[in-house]
Amino acid sequence: MISLLSFVVALAVQALFFYLATRITGNKTSYGTLFVIALIGSICSAIPAVGFLIGLIVVLFLLVYWGKMSWGSAILTVLLAYVLAFVITFLLGLLFGIALFSSGSAAPAATAAAVLLR
């Protein structure tokens, strides 16, 4: 049950990043449509080995046809959503002194947070 709840929360956050990216790029796509696009993209991304690529292609395709965007706008929206997700997650990690991105040790994030928050 908790994993289902965390999956739904992750979808809501991913749709929020898509929503912010569409607003920045000037596209008017509803949050509900973006949530469904994030859901379908996440399901496609669960395919072993090639899931990320298939999910990315499906998300771009759905943004073009359901979001009524050009291919360039869809690519820009996805790139901007990923950049926003990275920056906000990194800043939250610095703010709270925890490693939200982990490559092994939490020491680099904790050190960066200690230096920046002095």
Side-chain angles (χ1 to χ4, degrees):
M1 183 68 177
I2 290 184
S3 62
L4 178 63
L5 180 62
S6 64
F7 178 71
V8 171
V9 169
L11 283 176
V13 170
Q14 183 179 9
L16 177 65
F17 286 130
F18 280 144
Y19 183 79
L20 292 173
T22 58
R23 293 301 179 231
I24 291 171
T25 59
N27 297 309
K28 302 293 182 188
T29 306
S30 71
Y31 180 81
T33 301
L34 294 171
F35 185 85
V36 172
I37 291 171
L39 173 65
I40 294 170
S42 294
I43 291 170
C44 291
S45 293
I47 299 169
V50 294
F52 177 75
L53 183 61
I54 292 172
L56 181 62
I57 292 168
V58 167
V59 165
L60 288 171
F61 179 80
L62 292 175
L63 283 173
V64 168
Y65 289 100
W66 285 355
K68 297 177 179 64
M69 299 180 195
S70 67
W71 282 99
S73 293
I75 292 169
L76 181 62
T77 298
V78 169
L79 288 174
L80 188 57
Y82 280 116
V83 167
L84 285 171
F86 177 80
V87 168
I88 290 173
T89 305
F90 181 75
L91 290 176
L92 286 174
L94 286 177
L95 180 66
F96 294 114
I98 57 174
L100 296 175
F101 291 115
S102 178
S103 61
S105 174
T111 304
V115 168
L116 291 174
L117 296 176
R118 280 188 187 178

